[in-house]
Every structure is written in C-alpha cells, then in structure tokens.
Amino acid sequence: MRCRHPFRCAILTGMARTRNVLIAAPISRVARMDKMSGIFRYLSSSTADWSIRISDIDKIDLSDIDGMIVTGRPSAAIIRKIEKSNLPTVTIAIPCKARRNLVRLESDAEAIANAVCEEFLACWHYKSLVFATGKLRTAFAGRCEPALRSCARTRGLDFTHITTNLAAIAKLPRPTAVFALNDTIAWDIIRESQSRGIKIPNDLSVIGFCNDRVLCENTKPSISSADIDFEQQGFKAAKTLDALMTKPGTIQEGIIFNGLRTIVHRGSTPKKRTGDWLVRHARDFIRKNAVKGITVQDVVREMRVSRRLLELRFRESSNRSIRETIIDRRMEATKNELLASDDPITTVCERCGWRSVNHPKQAFKRQFGQSMSAFRKRHVTASHCPTCPRS
C-alpha cells in the first residue's frame, strides 16, 4: 500500500525523497546560464535529490511542485502568483512581497555603488557622476541610486540620474563618470557620445553592469563592467531552497544580499592611476594645507577616494599614515615658526593648525627631546649674537 504521508515517512525513516523543483529562469542570457551552473554545482556537491523542471510558472501545475527558484523578469501577474503561493521559494532579483517560505536573493546595491565609485576615482579625477537606467526601473536601481548619490556627495562630485535622455550627458561638466544599469545601456551611451564627438574614456568613462562578455568585449571601445557572481547566486539559491524544503524553520524568510565579484576593466575607463600618483598629490595637498587645521577626512575628500584606499597607499609608500604625515608637516612648520618669531607658543601653535596647545607640546618634546621653549632658546641663542637684535 502506498503511504499517505510520504514526506512524514521520509523524515521518520531518515530516507530522503526526490523533490520536484521548478526553475523559472530563462537561459538565453549568460547571467542566467551562470545561475543554472551554480544550481547544478550545489546539487553535485550535496545529497539533495531533485527532479528539475525548467519552465515558466504560468505554464506548469504548481500542485506537483515542492519548491521553486525564480529569476529573470516575470510579469506583475507572475509576481502576484509567487506571493500568493505558499511553496518554498527563492527569488533572484525579483521584488516580491515578504511571505512565509520565501527568501529573496538581491545584489548588494550599496556595496556595488561604493565599488563602482572606487573604480572610477582610481582611474581619473571626475567632476560628475551619472547613473543611467534608461527606461528600465528595477528594485536594484531604486536601492542603487541613493547609494551612488551618497558616494558622489561624499567625494564632492555632481550627481545626475538619467533615464531616456542620453543627450543630456553632453551637457555635463567633463570628465564625467557614468554607471549604467546594464551593459546594453552602457553600449547605447558610448554610441551616442561618440556621435557627438565626446572622447571615451577621457571625457566620458562608462562602467556597465552584469559583464555580458559577448557585448562588452566586442564594442569599440570595449566596455568596463561590474561582474556579479551569478554562479554563486545560483549556488546560494539552491542551498537556500534545499533548506526551506527539508528543514522548515531553519532559514529566516527575508533577503540575502550578494556582493560584487569584481569590476572588469576595459577600454571605456582609463587605466588606473598608480598609488604613487595618489600619494604624491595627497602629500602636496598636506604640505600646502596642514597649517590650516585640515583633518584626514579633508585629505580623503580632496583626493576623492576612500580613506581605506588612501591609507593603504600611504602605508605602501612610506609606512606612515595620513594623520602621521599631517602631524609631521605641522611639526615642521611649528619648528620653523619658533625660530622665525618671538610670538607666544600658544600663538605659534594656532598659526600652525593645532587645535590645542597640550598635544603639540607633548609631541614636540617626544620628537626633539626638549620643550618648545627650550628648543627656541637654545637655537636662537646659538644662531644670533646676544647684542644684535633678531632679524
């Protein structure tokens, strides 16, 4: 006799049963094929026993399905069907409402926005940042725009979001950095810009999204693009769905964010500036402005890169931090002022950019082995005749 409760029996006997899994993922694009590869990689490395069906949701009877993975661009009707279903479901980059047994895999928009900004600013000193979405408006674009706007504001760049008016790019201050929502939009922008005599990548630099290798590598110039690890997305989706089906309650419903693999540098962005270039210009800025009371953040803002990157370049160059470099320059200015004037030490410290007197006094004594007063008295006495006025 056939058991009426095969799932319960499978748990009690410790025997795994074959799961009927629907994968609603068009495989015509490289990204979707990579996701499928990740799904099969999980199946080959685990004990999961799945009978996979690849089909659109509206073309299959879901009553025979134990779980599903959905990606692509489903219609609003399909999204509603996913939301009403109680099947264990993992969606990839689909804006579904939260429900029981549903986990969403989404790209980490904030991390990607920061990585794109870092890539641009490691290449050139831009005046403006553009986020180009074309007519396409996705949940990822909605999360990415404020993150990019924040990056631009932090680094002193103008920020513009454009949709269909690609000609607006020609009116932006140059050089301009453009992050396109996908590689097709990046290609359209490059073609439009070239028709207007805009030089790429010097006047306009472009980074696409998804790294469609066929398109990116066969465009002139080739397109730099943010490469998302779609294969890992597929692996995570399969692992999560397996847990939803076999161990209910062990997976928290909600969103799992997936980061960026890398940004593939091609012809649409200039060659990266070396760390020596950054350090040289940062030191020049510190030399001119240390006595004005600048902070580490002022240097980072001026260079328009992340503090982490700039600190790393300083350490590689001289094994000194940005703060230590500022203090060194300020200390040098303080020493010169002590010798060049009779002003009180408090006035000298203020003139050299110190916010208080105690810290520079202690630092000066540690560096020169004597107090500021003793240093001034000793060196002034040695360099001037007691009977002659100081010049």
Side-chain angles (χ1 to χ4, degrees), residues 10 41 59 93-94 138-139 160 187 223 252 258 281 302 356 376 378-379:
R41 178 166 67 89
K59 295 180 180 179
I94 297 175
T138 65
T160 305
W187 180 70
I223 303 172
Q252 184 88 25
N258 195 60
H281 282 259
E302 173 67 19
S356 65
R376 170 185 270 175
R378 177 182 176 184
H379 286 80

Side-chain angles (χ1 to χ4, degrees), residues 259-311:
L260 182 71
R261 176 158 53 188
T262 187
I263 294 180
V264 180
H265 180 84
R266 297 189 180 95
S268 64
T269 49
K271 292 182 179 179
K272 291 186 179 182
R273 300 176 295 189
T274 64
D276 290 341
W277 187 95
L278 286 174
V279 173
R280 186 169 64 252
H281 282 259
R283 282 179 176 164
D284 187 54
F285 177 76
I286 291 172
R287 181 180 58 80
K288 294 176 181 177
N289 297 281
V291 296
K292 298 178 182 179
I294 60 170
T295 64
V296 173
Q297 193 57 43
D298 292 322
V299 181
V300 171
R301 191 178 298 112
E302 173 67 19
M303 299 309 299
R304 298 183 181 184
V305 296
S306 70
R307 177 168 179 169
R308 181 174 176 274
L309 175 63
L310 195 57
E311 289 282 12

